[in-house]
Amino acid sequence: MLIVGGPTGATEHDGGPFHPEQPRRIDAVMAGVRDLLLGDELITVEAPVANQEELARVHTSNYLRELEDFCQRGGGNLDADTFASSDSWNAARRAAGAGLATIDALRQRDHGVGFVVARPPGHHATADRAMGFCLLNNIAVAAASLTAHGDRVLIVDWDVHHGNGTQSIFWDNPNVLYVSTHQWPLYPGTGKAAEVGGSAARGLTVNVPVPPGATGDVIRMALNEVGQPAIERFAPDWVLISCGFDAHRADPLGELALSDGDFASLAHLVSEYAPRPGRVVLFLEGGYDPAALRTSVTATLSALLGGSDSFERPTSDGPGCENVNAALRARERALAAAAVDDAAVKFQ
């Protein structure tokens, strides 16, 4: 069973015909969902507006007020990449609410897979700043809601860009493990392997930067060799995925070389980190080639739902294996240095 939160954002929050973060992205995603021919196994849940309490778990009150006021005054450019229009405040709150509604639906049924089909995306939004096309951090709002109920949350981010907002929000939170693979160098310039989390959550940030041209086998290697040991120790109750498709080789904003089959393979791999059925939710992030977005969505969801695997083959033999090994060594050094620092603080 597939539970779709939304879709929302197919008409609102329009930055014009030349901005890559287009409303038509939702149409491409939903075409990929329809291609699965799920019938009664597809359930859609309405995207409510996330309320102030839900948003304030991850965003500052001042930022929320400023964003609302900016939109009410007609919007404009928030930075060189990020816009807001008069309807963006409601669109962003519905995007955040879609994740909360999807989790509620999964809790009620205790089985199925959740897919939050919403824009604007979220993983670059920090506690007090919009950036990278993102206004509110949708996946962070959902994770914070789960931790407020006592759950431990794994966030896997395979978007081509590093989710700096998600990392910063949960940097010192012992109930959230953030694991990211991303192209390096690339916007926003964060996500080094030596970034391992704050003193209260040491080791709960895992970054594996990979070079342009990296193929799917490199991303799988990163998750298996760098991410999985931390994941097994953490033992999450929920698995949330920042599901960007801009690592596809056809995407205009990235230079990784993944295929539809790679996303299917990654989805199957990451789903195994969940403790039981009904605990995996994907959140739409990037993906800016409509055709690749459609086919990647179909392949990813099919893998999670036990459907056909007749998609493009996973890719291999690109550069990056040495980067994974280097990331593992850099992480180990950073953790060792942090342990020494923590011990010194205790004895002061």
Side-chain angles (χ1 to χ4, degrees), residues 4 24 36 49 63 73 77 90 137 201 212 234 238 240 243 249 258 267 282 294 304 344:
V4 168
R24 65 175 180 165
L36 291 164
V49 171
Y63 171 64
R73 289 186 284 111
N77 291 324
N90 279 337
N137 198 313
F234 182 72
W238 287 79
L240 309 185
C243 185
R249 58 192 174 199
L258 275 63
L282 302 94
R294 177 176 182 170
L304 292 172

Side-chain angles (χ1 to χ4, degrees), residues 181 208 210 217-228 324:
T181 61
V208 186
V210 299
D217 58 333
V218 175
I219 307 301
R220 291 187 290 275
M221 176 183 176
L223 291 176
N224 282 326
E225 298 191 11
V226 187
Q228 189 164 337
V324 174

Side-chain angles (χ1 to χ4, degrees), residues 13-143:
H13 184 64
D14 191 345
F18 302 110
H19 198 285
E21 212 290 285
Q22 292 271 331
R24 65 175 180 165
R25 295 178 63 234
I26 299 297
D27 297 331
V29 169
M30 290 308 297
V33 171
R34 289 192 295 273
D35 288 343
L36 291 164
L37 303 175
L38 293 176
D40 293 340
E41 290 298 300
L42 172 62
I43 295 173
T44 59
V45 295
E46 184 178 353
V49 171
N51 63 39
Q52 182 74 14
E53 179 183 357
E54 292 161 340
L55 297 177
R57 291 190 180 110
V58 300
H59 293 290
T60 67
S61 297
N62 282 342
Y63 171 64
L64 295 173
R65 283 194 300 270
E66 289 168 359
L67 180 59
E68 180 180 12
D69 181 64
F70 186 78
C71 294
Q72 287 178 344
R73 289 186 284 111
N77 291 324
L78 291 159
D79 62 25
D81 302 304
T82 311
F83 67 90
S85 54
S86 59
D87 60 359
S88 293
W89 173 241
N90 279 337
R93 288 189 298 161
R94 289 196 186 281
L100 299 171
T102 303
I103 288 171
D104 285 344
L106 284 172
R107 281 192 187 279
Q108 292 169 15
R109 292 167 177 82
D110 212 31
H111 71 285
V113 173
F115 184 27
V116 180
V117 182
R119 55 176 295 280
H123 73 153
H124 292 307
T126 67
D128 59 1
R129 181 185 174 191
M131 60 183 293
F133 309 166
C134 303
L135 302 183
L136 300 175
N137 198 313
N138 308 323
I139 199 167
V141 170

Side-chain angles (χ1 to χ4, degrees), residues 43-340:
I43 295 173
T44 59
V45 295
E46 184 178 353
V49 171
N51 63 39
Q52 182 74 14
E53 179 183 357
E54 292 161 340
L55 297 177
R57 291 190 180 110
V58 300
H59 293 290
T60 67
S61 297
N62 282 342
Y63 171 64
L64 295 173
R65 283 194 300 270
E66 289 168 359
L67 180 59
E68 180 180 12
D69 181 64
F70 186 78
C71 294
Q72 287 178 344
R73 289 186 284 111
N77 291 324
L78 291 159
D79 62 25
D81 302 304
T82 311
F83 67 90
S85 54
S86 59
D87 60 359
S88 293
W89 173 241
N90 279 337
R93 288 189 298 161
R94 289 196 186 281
L100 299 171
T102 303
I103 288 171
D104 285 344
L106 284 172
R107 281 192 187 279
Q108 292 169 15
R109 292 167 177 82
D110 212 31
H111 71 285
V113 173
F115 184 27
V116 180
V117 182
R119 55 176 295 280
H123 73 153
H124 292 307
T126 67
D128 59 1
R129 181 185 174 191
M131 60 183 293
F133 309 166
C134 303
L135 302 183
L136 300 175
N137 198 313
N138 308 323
I139 199 167
V141 170
S145 174
L146 289 169
T147 61
H149 290 88
D151 290 316
R152 294 165 63 80
V153 181
L154 164 65
I155 298 176
V156 176
D157 189 336
W158 67 50
D159 191 279
V160 75
H161 304 95
H162 179 246
N164 60 297
T166 309
Q167 173 175 296
S168 66
I169 287 167
F170 296 117
W171 180 255
D172 215 31
N173 189 321
N175 296 310
V176 177
L177 168 60
Y178 178 70
V179 178
S180 176
T181 61
H182 46 275
Q183 181 181 322
W184 179 274
L186 194 64
Y187 180 92
T190 54
K192 295 180 180 178
E195 298 167 13
V196 295
S199 59
R202 199 74 75 195
L204 297 186
T205 293
V206 181
N207 287 308
V208 186
V210 299
T215 42
D217 58 333
V218 175
I219 307 301
R220 291 187 290 275
M221 176 183 176
L223 291 176
N224 282 326
E225 298 191 11
V226 187
Q228 189 164 337
I231 294 168
E232 289 178 348
R233 288 191 297 270
F234 182 72
D237 300 306
W238 287 79
V239 176
L240 309 185
I241 302 170
S242 268
C243 185
F245 295 106
D246 41 7
H248 194 283
R249 58 192 174 199
D251 197 273
L253 298 191
E255 299 171 284
L256 298 188
L258 275 63
S259 69
D260 302 347
D262 286 311
F263 290 113
S265 178
L266 287 172
H268 179 75
L269 173 63
V270 172
S271 70
E272 294 183 342
Y273 302 147
R276 55 193 175 92
R279 292 294 180 267
V280 176
V281 187
L282 302 94
F283 288 71
L284 179 65
E285 299 285 3
Y288 305 99
D289 180 276
L293 186 54
R294 177 176 182 170
T295 54
S296 296
V297 165
T298 304
T300 299
L301 296 176
S302 182
L304 292 172
L305 298 170
S308 169
D309 60 357
S310 57
F311 303 102
E312 288 184 288
R313 294 181 59 83
T315 58
S316 60
D317 300 326
C321 288
E322 65 279 7
N323 296 71
V324 174
N325 292 325
L328 182 58
R329 293 192 297 271
R331 175 175 170 79
E332 290 171 345
R333 289 195 298 270
L335 288 170
V340 171

